[in-house]
Amino acid sequence: MTPDDVLMAFEAALLDADRAGAARLLRTLPTSAGQVAASGALLADRVIVPALERIGSAFERGDVALSQVYLAGRICEGLLDEIAPAPDVTATPRPRVGVAALEDHHLLGKRMVLSVLRAAGFAPLDLGHGMRAAELARRAREEQLDALLVSALMLRSALRVKDLVAILAKDGGPALPVIVGGAPFRLDPALAGEVAATAWGRSASEAPRLVMSAIESSRGAP
Ligand code: B12
């Protein structure tokens, strides 16, 4: 099977709510398609995300039901947990990072960011979802984070990042980089600047690099 065949079969399994079939396809991928690496992050980027995006487009065209979108999302959440490698506890100490979905209940992006960070040797805190900017700022300070990663899938949620950054700037605490991602930022690459985020990422796999460079810049800042 080519990677494209696997993607199509994976999408069909999700639409049939066939969790076992979807899991089996992910396991066969590294051996059936040499160019696709076995890492969880790559599987997510090459198979899970494109399949969900295709299902999302089919939903927008009216070709699949909301219940199928929902079940596909739930199945992928579980699969991500299975394929994410355990953290490398021997790695050098990593910065304290937290991940949250701000005023948003779309959880898959946040989950992928957590998985990728764990795979890269971080021990990220899952700060949850649905909370407002002031609550998230308070939690970030309580946890003494070095960087905060925010996932937002709805434009309204993405715009709330501006409030979050303003609250963090006013509270007198140390500079805290806020790194964002999610569909609204991918659709409009200028949006991250408009909401005053430190950086933004198109894919969860960029999270470790973005965290390290944002922290380096904030420590170098006067
Ligand atoms: C699945 C889905 C749902 C599921 C969510 C299941 C779950 N447990 O998460 C359900 C059915 C519950 C749902 C509900 C709703 N949804 Co919805 N949903 C989607 C859909 C189809 C796919 C989203 C998804 O999971 N994609 C897969 C994930 C993995 O992708 P991702 O989050 O973008 O993450 C990738 C990158 O963006 C990046 N990333 C993400 N976050 C971060 C963070 C950082 C720091 C970094 C570096 C990277 C990064 O990494 C990932 C890739 O590696 C999208 C359509 C779309 N095209 O996006 C609509 C969509 C997001 N939903 C939408 C809406 C409106 C809703 C509802 C309001 C619908 C309703 N009327 O009830 C509710 C609201 C829920 C809420 N309060 O938050 C709209 C938002 C429109 C807008 N512009 O604001 C969309 C765009 C659909 C549309 N076109 O109308 N939804």
Side-chain angles (χ1 to χ4, degrees):
M1 271 177 125
T2 68
D4 277 352
D5 293 337
V6 175
L7 173 56
M8 296 303 152
F10 184 75
E11 182 188 346
L14 291 181
L15 289 174
D16 285 346
D18 176 7
R19 189 187 193 287
R24 213 166 29 246
L25 281 160
L26 285 188
R27 277 195 298 272
T28 62
L29 195 57
T31 45
S32 65
Q35 66 270 50
V36 179
S39 105
L42 264 181
L43 281 182
D45 272 357
R46 302 261 175 98
V47 183
I48 296 178
V49 175
L52 283 170
E53 282 176 351
R54 288 174 55 86
I55 291 172
S57 305
F59 170 67
E60 283 160 28
R61 289 194 307 271
D63 293 341
V64 307
L66 183 60
S67 55
Q68 286 174 296
V69 179
Y70 180 74
L71 274 175
R74 293 304 301 266
I75 291 172
C76 289
E77 275 184 40
L79 293 175
L80 274 171
D81 276 348
E82 282 172 25
I83 62 175
D88 176 5
V89 288
T90 60
T92 50
R94 293 288 189 162
R96 278 180 74 74
V97 296
V99 187
L102 176 64
E103 284 196 28
D104 207 311
H105 294 264
H106 291 92
L107 304 179
L108 287 165
K110 172 172 79 81
R111 193 167 279 247
M112 286 183 52
V113 172
L114 283 164
S115 300
V116 168
L117 287 169
R118 284 190 193 114
F122 291 80
L125 291 168
D126 183 351
L127 298 174
H129 60 273
M131 79 267 281
R132 289 172 182 268
E135 163 77 354
L136 180 55
R138 187 181 61 74
R139 290 277 287 121
R141 290 307 191 195
E142 257 172 27
E143 298 292 350
Q144 303 186 333
L145 296 183
D146 298 308
L148 174 60
L149 294 97
V150 175
S151 182
L153 264 278
M154 295 187 295
L155 180 59
R156 199 195 57 190
S157 319
L159 293 172
R160 294 284 177 264
V161 171
K162 193 166 189 169
D163 302 338
L164 172 70
V165 172
I167 295 166
L168 288 168
K170 265 199 221 140
D171 72 5
L176 176 61
V178 175
I179 299 161
V180 295
F185 298 104
R186 291 198 317 219
L187 285 174
D188 177 6
L191 183 60
E194 282 163 26
V195 298
T198 313
W200 77 281
R202 186 168 288 281
S203 156
S205 56
E206 295 170 40
R209 176 182 60 77
L210 291 171
V211 165
M212 294 315 285
S213 72
I215 290 175
E216 268 164 37
S217 315
S218 76
R219 287 184 180 156

